[in-house]
Amino acid sequence: MTTIPKPIHVPVLLQEVLENLPVPSGGRVLDLTLGLGGHAQAILAICDADTRYLGVDRDPFARASAKARLGQDARLSIIADTYENVWENPAFQAWCHLQAPEGLDAILMDLGVSSLHLKDPSRGFSFMEEGPLDMRMDPEHGLTALQWIADQDETTLADAIYKYGEERSSRPIARAILKAFHEGRLHTTLDLAAAIYTVLPREFARRKGQIDPATRSFQGIRIAVNGELEGLEKSLERAVGLLKPGGRLGVISFHSLEDRIVKHTLRRLAGVYDGPGRTAPELLPQIIRLIHPGGLKATDSEIAQNPPSRSARLRIGQKQADTSSRIS
Ligand SMILES: C[S@@+](CC[C@H](N)C(=O)[O-])C[C@H]1O[C@@H](n2cnc3c(N)ncnc32)[C@H](O)[C@@H]1O
């Protein structure tokens, strides 16, 4: 009997992506977070031979996995970059110029980390298994989590844990982490978790059925180390700028901080004013139209099969034909 290898990363909201990012015959698709190519594989499977698909990812292991999975497919090109910087990348500009001179039909952003990051202890994202304190999505660039912590004082570390992890005990946690660091006890992910548990005991959370108390602090440090929220708004604007009229941008986010940026940026690009006061100081151009304005969430059956999909939300914007139109 042949055994089918289990995919390492199950693409979330796949059906919703396929239904809401339709690709016409000979369509042009940009996937700014290619990952292990799960969405790419499913999208390419229903597209014709004239389709061209460009995948971008900052993580060399993700790109290698996607290449191993889809490298035979001549419709796919892969570029190593971040979605913040790719716009100025000559290889990206050449692809757009040659393959998509009239713009793109579909752009996908599936934000955050993949299970490749979370399940491999050597990447340093997990508080369940021992690994180096790294947490970089691109291990070839930037500071590791340990180097980043070494650069922080109590205030800046607490601020990151509070802002990006939404952790209310950020200040005592930052103090405990820096104490462990200065006493030479902070080397691995489990050391970091142990420092956090001195403030928020793990057993107490377990007894109350709460999430592991290290979750929020790990998220905060990871987002800071990877600069995950910086440049997201600009990247969404650049992506919309490359869509053809009628083309669609789909963005999947996994936590409220990301989703807030996605929601407000797409609403602003749709001409909806979310600022203070009731009326916009000036009328905003309607560059996109929101499809499913509240976003789409995973069905109960997807959540049962793939529990991480519980926190995913897909928001979609469609480029208007006349982008100079204004709200009446
Ligand atoms: C949730 S995974 C994508 C999974 C993919 N859709 C699939 O089905 O396999 C997110 C991917 O985005 C990448 N990533 C995160 N931030 C990025 C950024 N700023 N620029 C480019 N890639 C990024 C990560 O390395 C990761 O591989």
Side-chain angles (χ1 to χ4, degrees), residues 9-12 31-40 56-59 62 69 81-84 108 110-114 116-117 137 226 228 254:
H9 180 87
V10 184
V12 298
D31 183 339
L32 287 164
T33 50
L34 179 66
L36 288 85
H39 286 104
V56 176
D57 204 289
R58 72 193 305 187
D59 183 329
R69 187 177 196 173
D81 212 330
T82 63
Y83 52 69
E84 295 87 352
L108 176 63
D110 178 14
L111 303 173
V113 283
S114 72
L116 182 76
H117 298 123
M137 288 190 211
N226 291 289
E228 283 177 48
F254 282 86

mmCIF file of all heavy atoms in Angstrom, residues 9-12 31-40 56-59 62 69 81-84 108 110-114 116-117 137 226 228 254, ligand 1:
data_model
loop_
_atom_site.group_PDB
_atom_site.id
_atom_site.type_symbol
_atom_site.label_atom_id
_atom_site.label_comp_id
_atom_site.label_asym_id
_atom_site.label_seq_id
_atom_site.Cartn_x
_atom_site.Cartn_y
_atom_site.Cartn_z
ATOM 1 N N HIS A 9 2.280 21.678 6.173
ATOM 2 C CA HIS A 9 1.494 22.881 6.429
ATOM 3 C C HIS A 9 0.191 22.762 5.663
ATOM 4 O O HIS A 9 0.188 22.638 4.449
ATOM 5 C CB HIS A 9 2.267 24.116 5.970
ATOM 6 C CG HIS A 9 1.509 25.385 6.219
ATOM 7 N ND1 HIS A 9 1.575 26.069 7.413
ATOM 8 C CD2 HIS A 9 0.650 26.069 5.443
ATOM 9 C CE1 HIS A 9 0.792 27.123 7.345
ATOM 10 N NE2 HIS A 9 0.219 27.155 6.164
ATOM 11 N N VAL A 10 -0.924 22.791 6.384
ATOM 12 C CA VAL A 10 -2.224 22.685 5.725
ATOM 13 C C VAL A 10 -2.665 24.106 5.378
ATOM 14 O O VAL A 10 -2.816 24.940 6.273
ATOM 15 C CB VAL A 10 -3.263 22.036 6.670
ATOM 16 C CG1 VAL A 10 -4.589 21.846 5.960
ATOM 17 C CG2 VAL A 10 -2.731 20.722 7.212
ATOM 18 N N PRO A 11 -2.856 24.411 4.090
ATOM 19 C CA PRO A 11 -3.258 25.784 3.748
ATOM 20 C C PRO A 11 -4.626 26.114 4.329
ATOM 21 O O PRO A 11 -5.563 25.324 4.192
ATOM 22 C CB PRO A 11 -3.281 25.799 2.211
ATOM 23 C CG PRO A 11 -3.269 24.380 1.785
ATOM 24 C CD PRO A 11 -2.720 23.550 2.899
ATOM 25 N N VAL A 12 -4.735 27.257 4.983
ATOM 26 C CA VAL A 12 -6.007 27.595 5.638
ATOM 27 C C VAL A 12 -6.934 28.301 4.668
ATOM 28 O O VAL A 12 -6.504 28.926 3.693
ATOM 29 C CB VAL A 12 -5.802 28.488 6.895
ATOM 30 C CG1 VAL A 12 -4.984 27.778 7.950
ATOM 31 C CG2 VAL A 12 -5.224 29.813 6.539
ATOM 32 N N ASP A 31 1.824 35.570 -5.285
ATOM 33 C CA ASP A 31 1.644 35.014 -3.943
ATOM 34 C C ASP A 31 2.799 35.564 -3.105
ATOM 35 O O ASP A 31 3.950 35.171 -3.273
ATOM 36 C CB ASP A 31 1.711 33.484 -4.058
ATOM 37 C CG ASP A 31 1.468 32.778 -2.736
ATOM 38 O OD1 ASP A 31 1.645 33.409 -1.694
ATOM 39 O OD2 ASP A 31 1.126 31.575 -2.779
ATOM 40 N N LEU A 32 2.474 36.521 -2.236
ATOM 41 C CA LEU A 32 3.545 37.235 -1.524
ATOM 42 C C LEU A 32 4.062 36.481 -0.307
ATOM 43 O O LEU A 32 5.023 36.909 0.333
ATOM 44 C CB LEU A 32 3.051 38.623 -1.114
ATOM 45 C CG LEU A 32 2.931 39.611 -2.288
ATOM 46 C CD1 LEU A 32 2.081 40.809 -1.898
ATOM 47 C CD2 LEU A 32 4.307 40.071 -2.761
ATOM 48 N N THR A 33 3.415 35.368 0.034
ATOM 49 C CA THR A 33 3.842 34.537 1.162
ATOM 50 C C THR A 33 3.717 33.082 0.715
ATOM 51 O O THR A 33 2.874 32.343 1.212
ATOM 52 C CB THR A 33 2.942 34.798 2.392
ATOM 53 O OG1 THR A 33 1.581 34.687 1.959
ATOM 54 C CG2 THR A 33 3.175 36.149 3.018
ATOM 55 N N LEU A 34 4.583 32.692 -0.197
ATOM 56 C CA LEU A 34 4.472 31.379 -0.856
ATOM 57 C C LEU A 34 4.476 30.231 0.147
ATOM 58 O O LEU A 34 3.771 29.244 -0.022
ATOM 59 C CB LEU A 34 5.636 31.226 -1.846
ATOM 60 C CG LEU A 34 5.706 29.915 -2.606
ATOM 61 C CD1 LEU A 34 4.514 29.769 -3.538
ATOM 62 C CD2 LEU A 34 7.014 29.835 -3.404
ATOM 63 N N GLY A 35 5.288 30.368 1.208
ATOM 64 C CA GLY A 35 5.372 29.305 2.221
ATOM 65 C C GLY A 35 5.767 27.993 1.583
ATOM 66 O O GLY A 35 6.661 27.922 0.732
ATOM 67 N N LEU A 36 5.043 26.937 1.968
ATOM 68 C CA LEU A 36 5.358 25.622 1.416
ATOM 69 C C LEU A 36 4.574 25.347 0.138
ATOM 70 O O LEU A 36 4.534 24.214 -0.348
ATOM 71 C CB LEU A 36 5.064 24.538 2.459
ATOM 72 C CG LEU A 36 6.073 24.526 3.597
ATOM 73 C CD1 LEU A 36 5.696 25.529 4.670
ATOM 74 C CD2 LEU A 36 6.167 23.160 4.206
ATOM 75 N N GLY A 37 3.938 26.384 -0.368
ATOM 76 C CA GLY A 37 3.265 26.265 -1.666
ATOM 77 C C GLY A 37 1.926 25.557 -1.615
ATOM 78 O O GLY A 37 1.444 25.090 -2.644
ATOM 79 N N GLY A 38 1.299 25.498 -0.447
ATOM 80 C CA GLY A 38 0.005 24.808 -0.331
ATOM 81 C C GLY A 38 -1.088 25.507 -1.128
ATOM 82 O O GLY A 38 -1.777 24.877 -1.942
ATOM 83 N N HIS A 39 -1.239 26.828 -0.912
ATOM 84 C CA HIS A 39 -2.237 27.560 -1.692
ATOM 85 C C HIS A 39 -1.839 27.550 -3.168
ATOM 86 O O HIS A 39 -2.684 27.372 -4.050
ATOM 87 C CB HIS A 39 -2.363 29.006 -1.189
ATOM 88 C CG HIS A 39 -3.097 29.129 0.116
ATOM 89 N ND1 HIS A 39 -2.455 29.349 1.303
ATOM 90 C CD2 HIS A 39 -4.420 29.056 0.407
ATOM 91 C CE1 HIS A 39 -3.360 29.414 2.277
ATOM 92 N NE2 HIS A 39 -4.554 29.232 1.763
ATOM 93 N N ALA A 40 -0.550 27.741 -3.427
ATOM 94 C CA ALA A 40 -0.062 27.801 -4.816
ATOM 95 C C ALA A 40 -0.421 26.523 -5.565
ATOM 96 O O ALA A 40 -0.931 26.564 -6.693
ATOM 97 C CB ALA A 40 1.456 28.010 -4.819
ATOM 98 N N VAL A 56 6.665 34.633 -3.646
ATOM 99 C CA VAL A 56 7.704 35.361 -2.908
ATOM 100 C C VAL A 56 7.704 34.837 -1.482
ATOM 101 O O VAL A 56 6.629 34.613 -0.907
ATOM 102 C CB VAL A 56 7.378 36.882 -2.907
ATOM 103 C CG1 VAL A 56 8.387 37.650 -2.065
ATOM 104 C CG2 VAL A 56 7.307 37.433 -4.323
ATOM 105 N N ASP A 57 8.860 34.615 -0.908
ATOM 106 C CA ASP A 57 8.924 34.279 0.518
ATOM 107 C C ASP A 57 10.299 34.682 1.044
ATOM 108 O O ASP A 57 11.296 34.612 0.332
ATOM 109 C CB ASP A 57 8.689 32.783 0.778
ATOM 110 C CG ASP A 57 8.177 32.528 2.191
ATOM 111 O OD1 ASP A 57 8.984 32.699 3.152
ATOM 112 O OD2 ASP A 57 6.991 32.203 2.365
ATOM 113 N N ARG A 58 10.318 35.101 2.309
ATOM 114 C CA ARG A 58 11.585 35.520 2.910
ATOM 115 C C ARG A 58 12.369 34.335 3.483
ATOM 116 O O ARG A 58 13.540 34.473 3.811
ATOM 117 C CB ARG A 58 11.319 36.567 3.995
ATOM 118 C CG ARG A 58 10.683 36.007 5.245
ATOM 119 C CD ARG A 58 10.136 37.063 6.187
ATOM 120 N NE ARG A 58 11.116 38.044 6.568
ATOM 121 C CZ ARG A 58 10.906 39.004 7.493
ATOM 122 N NH1 ARG A 58 9.746 39.084 8.106
ATOM 123 N NH2 ARG A 58 11.826 39.855 7.798
ATOM 124 N N ASP A 59 11.698 33.188 3.620
ATOM 125 C CA ASP A 59 12.321 32.055 4.316
ATOM 126 C C ASP A 59 12.921 31.059 3.314
ATOM 127 O O ASP A 59 12.188 30.483 2.504
ATOM 128 C CB ASP A 59 11.248 31.362 5.166
ATOM 129 C CG ASP A 59 11.824 30.209 5.983
ATOM 130 O OD1 ASP A 59 12.784 29.573 5.521
ATOM 131 O OD2 ASP A 59 11.308 29.956 7.076
ATOM 132 N N ALA A 62 11.295 27.599 3.385
ATOM 133 C CA ALA A 62 9.959 27.581 2.767
ATOM 134 C C ALA A 62 10.116 27.551 1.250
ATOM 135 O O ALA A 62 9.455 26.757 0.570
ATOM 136 C CB ALA A 62 9.164 28.815 3.209
ATOM 137 N N ARG A 69 8.180 20.828 -4.028
ATOM 138 C CA ARG A 69 6.804 20.407 -4.262
ATOM 139 C C ARG A 69 6.327 20.779 -5.671
ATOM 140 O O ARG A 69 5.609 20.033 -6.317
ATOM 141 C CB ARG A 69 5.953 21.133 -3.226
ATOM 142 C CG ARG A 69 4.525 20.760 -3.140
ATOM 143 C CD ARG A 69 3.940 21.573 -1.981
ATOM 144 N NE ARG A 69 2.685 21.069 -1.551
ATOM 145 C CZ ARG A 69 2.057 21.532 -0.465
ATOM 146 N NH1 ARG A 69 2.606 22.472 0.269
ATOM 147 N NH2 ARG A 69 0.893 21.033 -0.121
ATOM 148 N N ASP A 81 12.509 37.242 -1.166
ATOM 149 C CA ASP A 81 12.442 38.629 -0.682
ATOM 150 C C ASP A 81 11.309 38.734 0.327
ATOM 151 O O ASP A 81 10.555 37.777 0.543
ATOM 152 C CB ASP A 81 12.194 39.605 -1.846
ATOM 153 C CG ASP A 81 12.863 40.964 -1.601
ATOM 154 O OD1 ASP A 81 13.004 41.358 -0.430
ATOM 155 O OD2 ASP A 81 13.245 41.620 -2.585
ATOM 156 N N THR A 82 11.194 39.910 0.910
ATOM 157 C CA THR A 82 10.058 40.172 1.787
ATOM 158 C C THR A 82 8.991 40.908 0.984
ATOM 159 O O THR A 82 9.296 41.541 -0.033
ATOM 160 C CB THR A 82 10.448 41.081 2.968
ATOM 161 O OG1 THR A 82 10.858 42.350 2.441
ATOM 162 C CG2 THR A 82 11.590 40.481 3.780
ATOM 163 N N TYR A 83 7.750 40.861 1.482
ATOM 164 C CA TYR A 83 6.711 41.597 0.743
ATOM 165 C C TYR A 83 6.847 43.094 0.958
ATOM 166 O O TYR A 83 6.262 43.883 0.235
ATOM 167 C CB TYR A 83 5.294 41.097 1.036
ATOM 168 C CG TYR A 83 4.878 40.991 2.485
ATOM 169 C CD1 TYR A 83 4.685 42.114 3.274
ATOM 170 C CD2 TYR A 83 4.647 39.737 3.050
ATOM 171 C CE1 TYR A 83 4.288 42.003 4.595
ATOM 172 C CE2 TYR A 83 4.243 39.620 4.377
ATOM 173 C CZ TYR A 83 4.065 40.749 5.140
ATOM 174 O OH TYR A 83 3.674 40.639 6.449
ATOM 175 N N GLU A 84 7.648 43.509 1.937
ATOM 176 C CA GLU A 84 7.884 44.945 2.104
ATOM 177 C C GLU A 84 8.848 45.458 1.029
ATOM 178 O O GLU A 84 8.707 46.572 0.538
ATOM 179 C CB GLU A 84 8.510 45.248 3.479
ATOM 180 C CG GLU A 84 7.627 44.934 4.679
ATOM 181 C CD GLU A 84 7.761 43.480 5.140
ATOM 182 O OE1 GLU A 84 8.413 42.674 4.436
ATOM 183 O OE2 GLU A 84 7.201 43.140 6.193
ATOM 184 N N LEU A 108 -2.232 37.060 -3.338
ATOM 185 C CA LEU A 108 -2.541 36.411 -2.063
ATOM 186 C C LEU A 108 -1.459 36.743 -1.039
ATOM 187 O O LEU A 108 -0.265 36.713 -1.359
ATOM 188 C CB LEU A 108 -2.602 34.884 -2.270
ATOM 189 C CG LEU A 108 -2.833 34.045 -1.011
ATOM 190 C CD1 LEU A 108 -4.198 34.338 -0.370
ATOM 191 C CD2 LEU A 108 -2.737 32.546 -1.344
ATOM 192 N N ASP A 110 -0.767 35.395 2.867
ATOM 193 C CA ASP A 110 -1.175 34.509 3.962
ATOM 194 C C ASP A 110 -0.152 34.790 5.065
ATOM 195 O O ASP A 110 0.930 34.209 5.075
ATOM 196 C CB ASP A 110 -1.119 33.070 3.427
ATOM 197 C CG ASP A 110 -1.469 32.023 4.463
ATOM 198 O OD1 ASP A 110 -2.003 32.385 5.516
ATOM 199 O OD2 ASP A 110 -1.197 30.834 4.192
ATOM 200 N N LEU A 111 -0.504 35.728 5.950
ATOM 201 C CA LEU A 111 0.508 36.346 6.811
ATOM 202 C C LEU A 111 1.009 35.440 7.935
ATOM 203 O O LEU A 111 0.340 34.486 8.331
ATOM 204 C CB LEU A 111 -0.089 37.623 7.421
ATOM 205 C CG LEU A 111 -0.599 38.659 6.405
ATOM 206 C CD1 LEU A 111 -1.329 39.787 7.119
ATOM 207 C CD2 LEU A 111 0.550 39.218 5.570
ATOM 208 N N GLY A 112 2.172 35.807 8.448
ATOM 209 C CA GLY A 112 2.663 35.179 9.679
ATOM 210 C C GLY A 112 3.573 33.995 9.449
ATOM 211 O O GLY A 112 4.179 33.840 8.399
ATOM 212 N N VAL A 113 3.635 33.147 10.479
ATOM 213 C CA VAL A 113 4.529 31.994 10.428
ATOM 214 C C VAL A 113 3.775 30.779 9.884
ATOM 215 O O VAL A 113 2.548 30.766 9.868
ATOM 216 C CB VAL A 113 5.085 31.656 11.835
ATOM 217 C CG1 VAL A 113 6.181 32.608 12.238
ATOM 218 C CG2 VAL A 113 3.985 31.632 12.876
ATOM 219 N N SER A 114 4.537 29.787 9.440
ATOM 220 C CA SER A 114 3.915 28.543 8.986
ATOM 221 C C SER A 114 4.243 27.450 9.997
ATOM 222 O O SER A 114 5.065 27.650 10.898
ATOM 223 C CB SER A 114 4.453 28.155 7.607
ATOM 224 O OG SER A 114 5.785 27.715 7.724
ATOM 225 N N LEU A 116 6.029 25.084 9.417
ATOM 226 C CA LEU A 116 7.458 24.814 9.230
ATOM 227 C C LEU A 116 8.260 25.518 10.334
ATOM 228 O O LEU A 116 9.230 24.989 10.862
ATOM 229 C CB LEU A 116 7.888 25.367 7.857
ATOM 230 C CG LEU A 116 9.321 25.175 7.415
ATOM 231 C CD1 LEU A 116 9.523 23.736 6.975
ATOM 232 C CD2 LEU A 116 9.662 26.103 6.251
ATOM 233 N N HIS A 117 7.822 26.733 10.667
ATOM 234 C CA HIS A 117 8.499 27.470 11.738
ATOM 235 C C HIS A 117 8.144 26.889 13.099
ATOM 236 O O HIS A 117 9.011 26.606 13.913
ATOM 237 C CB HIS A 117 8.069 28.941 11.708
ATOM 238 C CG HIS A 117 8.437 29.641 10.439
ATOM 239 N ND1 HIS A 117 7.518 30.256 9.633
ATOM 240 C CD2 HIS A 117 9.624 29.798 9.828
ATOM 241 C CE1 HIS A 117 8.124 30.778 8.589
ATOM 242 N NE2 HIS A 117 9.410 30.514 8.671
ATOM 243 N N MET A 137 12.339 34.441 10.643
ATOM 244 C CA MET A 137 11.762 33.738 9.488
ATOM 245 C C MET A 137 12.820 33.610 8.400
ATOM 246 O O MET A 137 12.786 32.681 7.606
ATOM 247 C CB MET A 137 10.578 34.519 8.939
ATOM 248 C CG MET A 137 9.379 34.449 9.824
ATOM 249 S SD MET A 137 7.987 35.159 8.927
ATOM 250 C CE MET A 137 7.078 35.816 10.273
ATOM 251 N N ASN A 226 10.959 39.903 13.774
ATOM 252 C CA ASN A 226 10.763 39.829 12.321
ATOM 253 C C ASN A 226 10.163 41.100 11.726
ATOM 254 O O ASN A 226 9.930 41.151 10.512
ATOM 255 C CB ASN A 226 9.858 38.633 11.984
ATOM 256 C CG ASN A 226 10.557 37.312 12.238
ATOM 257 O OD1 ASN A 226 11.472 36.943 11.518
ATOM 258 N ND2 ASN A 226 10.163 36.622 13.307
ATOM 259 N N GLU A 228 7.208 42.149 11.878
ATOM 260 C CA GLU A 228 6.091 41.623 11.094
ATOM 261 C C GLU A 228 5.006 42.635 10.726
ATOM 262 O O GLU A 228 4.333 42.470 9.727
ATOM 263 C CB GLU A 228 5.434 40.447 11.839
ATOM 264 C CG GLU A 228 6.250 39.201 11.720
ATOM 265 C CD GLU A 228 5.658 38.034 12.502
ATOM 266 O OE1 GLU A 228 4.461 37.768 12.398
ATOM 267 O OE2 GLU A 228 6.434 37.387 13.226
ATOM 268 N N PHE A 254 -3.805 36.141 11.115
ATOM 269 C CA PHE A 254 -3.993 35.158 12.191
ATOM 270 C C PHE A 254 -4.174 35.765 13.567
ATOM 271 O O PHE A 254 -4.463 35.067 14.506
ATOM 272 C CB PHE A 254 -2.811 34.173 12.229
ATOM 273 C CG PHE A 254 -2.931 33.146 11.156
ATOM 274 C CD1 PHE A 254 -2.450 33.414 9.895
ATOM 275 C CD2 PHE A 254 -3.578 31.954 11.396
ATOM 276 C CE1 PHE A 254 -2.596 32.494 8.881
ATOM 277 C CE2 PHE A 254 -3.731 31.028 10.386
ATOM 278 C CZ PHE A 254 -3.233 31.294 9.127
HETATM 279 C C1 LIG B 1 1.309 31.135 6.741
HETATM 280 S S1 LIG B 1 2.726 30.869 5.788
HETATM 281 C C2 LIG B 1 2.141 30.707 4.134
HETATM 282 C C3 LIG B 1 1.722 29.323 3.802
HETATM 283 C C4 LIG B 1 1.336 29.141 2.352
HETATM 284 N N1 LIG B 1 0.204 29.928 1.971
HETATM 285 C C5 LIG B 1 1.064 27.659 2.091
HETATM 286 O O1 LIG B 1 -0.089 27.310 1.802
HETATM 287 O O2 LIG B 1 1.997 26.869 2.169
HETATM 288 C C6 LIG B 1 3.450 32.437 5.735
HETATM 289 C C7 LIG B 1 4.722 32.505 4.953
HETATM 290 O O3 LIG B 1 5.017 33.881 4.761
HETATM 291 C C8 LIG B 1 6.390 34.080 4.917
HETATM 292 N N2 LIG B 1 6.531 35.471 5.331
HETATM 293 C C9 LIG B 1 6.185 36.028 6.498
HETATM 294 N N3 LIG B 1 6.437 37.339 6.496
HETATM 295 C C10 LIG B 1 6.930 37.621 5.265
HETATM 296 C C11 LIG B 1 7.361 38.825 4.648
HETATM 297 N N4 LIG B 1 7.353 39.973 5.290
HETATM 298 N N5 LIG B 1 7.782 38.758 3.376
HETATM 299 C C12 LIG B 1 7.802 37.562 2.708
HETATM 300 N N6 LIG B 1 7.441 36.389 3.262
HETATM 301 C C13 LIG B 1 6.985 36.427 4.528
HETATM 302 C C14 LIG B 1 6.842 33.091 5.953
HETATM 303 O O4 LIG B 1 8.202 32.782 5.793
HETATM 304 C C15 LIG B 1 5.933 31.898 5.646
HETATM 305 O O5 LIG B 1 6.564 30.988 4.803
#
